[in-house]
């Protein structure tokens, strides 16, 4: 016997940013719905005429004024039939990495407020959004060892110590900084610039830049990025 479906498709975005030695995630407070008072991930229902990626990009821009370059599908959430008390909703979650200093966040559309939260200070969120963030953090930790995605969280030019600290913060452990530096530099995908850090503390420190064009060319020739930090 056929059954008419009444299932809605949504997208949610876990957007990570990095500032002042901490990893952050972007959250909104919703204007409408039964969980208005809760913070939640940016997201919403997919329009009939748009792709999933177009939908998540649109929701991010509308609700937070953030646009992203690095966007990866994380997981589909729908096994819990009552995950959204309003309707049967299946959500496709994406995670993104941005240089948070580049954006002036602004709540609009369905969002009453928008704010960066340190990942160790995230409140109880609406729906299953805490689970989504936990899954995204685990994915991020795993990918650091085989893909140079950490550069998406940093400014175009950065101190090498910032890159080291970024890995320590995300992995939540200390790393062998000398071996890490030697390994990263051996890949030939970051280059020292002629610019120095504007922060005047002790010996002037050179800024570095990730060469994405060189990295893509290396990939075409079978390059394999791998860092073991155990």
């Amino acid at each position: 016997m056929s059954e008419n479906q009444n299932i809605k498709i949504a997208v949610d975005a876990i957007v990570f940013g990095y500032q002042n030695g901490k990893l952050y995630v972007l959250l909104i407070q919703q204007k409408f719905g039964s969980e208005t008072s809760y913070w939640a991930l940016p997201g919403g229902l997919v329009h009939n005429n748009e792709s999933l990626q177009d939908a998540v990009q649109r929701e991010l821009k509308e609700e937070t004024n953030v646009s992203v370059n690095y966007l990866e599908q994380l997981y589909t959430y729908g096994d819990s039939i009552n995950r959204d008390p309003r309707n049967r909703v299946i959500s496709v979650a994406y995670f993104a990495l941005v240089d948070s200093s580049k954006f002036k966040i602004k709540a609009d559309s369905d969002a009453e407020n928008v704010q960066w939260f340190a990942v160790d200070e995230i409140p109880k969120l609406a729906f299953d959004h805490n689970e989504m963030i936990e899954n995204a953090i685990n994915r991020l930790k795993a990918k650091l060892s085989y893909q140079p995605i950490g550069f998406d969280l940093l400014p175009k030019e950065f101190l090498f110590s910032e890159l080291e600290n970024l890995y320590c913060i995300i992995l939540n452990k200390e790393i062998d900084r000398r071996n890490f530096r030697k390994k990263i530099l051996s890949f030939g995908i970051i280059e020292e610039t002629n610019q120095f850090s504007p922060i005047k503390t002790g010996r002037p420190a050179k800024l570095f830049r990730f060469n994405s064009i060189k990295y893509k060319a290396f990939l075409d020739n079978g390059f394999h990025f791998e860092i073991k930090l155990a």
Side-chain angles (χ1 to χ4, degrees), residues 26-91:
L26 191 63
L27 299 177
I28 64 164
Q29 243 178 344
Q30 300 170 310
K31 284 181 181 178
F32 313 110
S34 59
E35 304 204 34
T36 306
S37 62
Y38 284 89
W39 288 91
L41 291 168
L45 296 177
V46 179
H47 292 171
N48 290 333
N49 62 345
E50 66 182 352
S51 68
L52 294 175
Q53 283 217 11
D54 286 345
V56 73
Q57 292 273 19
R58 172 183 55 78
E59 288 287 350
L60 269 175
K61 189 63 178 176
E62 288 178 355
E63 294 185 339
T64 69
N65 196 40
V66 168
S67 55
V68 300
N69 294 321
Y70 184 91
L71 190 66
E72 178 178 324
Q73 192 172 125
L74 176 67
Y75 194 72
T76 300
Y77 296 82
D79 285 340
S80 176
I81 296 175
N82 299 313
R83 59 175 298 275
D84 188 325
R86 299 166 297 183
N87 299 284
R88 174 77 196 279
V89 179
I90 294 174
S91 180

Side-chain angles (χ1 to χ4, degrees), residues 122-224:
I122 295 171
K124 176 175 169 52
L125 305 180
F127 317 119
D128 47 6
H129 290 184
N130 289 92
E131 179 186 353
M132 290 184 182
I133 293 174
E134 183 179 352
N135 291 340
I137 291 173
N138 289 334
R139 173 78 65 86
L140 177 58
K141 287 180 177 180
K143 289 183 75 71
L144 280 180
S145 66
Y146 63 88
Q147 191 172 329
I149 59 175
F151 297 107
D152 291 282
L153 291 163
L154 295 172
K156 185 177 180 180
E157 294 183 347
F158 53 88
L159 291 169
F160 201 92
S161 60
E162 290 179 323
L163 180 63
E164 294 171 335
N165 290 335
L166 176 66
Y167 271 73
C168 290
I169 292 298
I170 294 176
L171 298 174
N172 194 29
K173 68 178 182 180
E174 280 297 321
I175 61 174
D176 185 328
R177 293 178 182 249
R178 187 165 68 174
N179 287 340
F180 176 81
R181 184 185 184 95
K182 182 179 179 181
K183 184 69 172 179
I184 288 288
L185 292 177
S186 72
F187 291 135
I189 57 175
I190 72 169
E191 52 199 23
E192 191 176 68
T193 72
N194 292 321
Q195 303 300 315
F196 290 89
S197 169
I199 302 174
K200 306 298 183 182
T201 54
R203 184 180 176 183
K206 280 281 188 76
L207 296 174
F208 287 78
R209 181 190 298 115
F210 174 61
N211 192 324
S212 59
I213 296 176
K214 184 180 288 188
Y215 172 65
K216 290 174 182 176
F218 284 173
L219 285 181
D220 292 338
N221 288 292
F223 171 75
H224 180 60

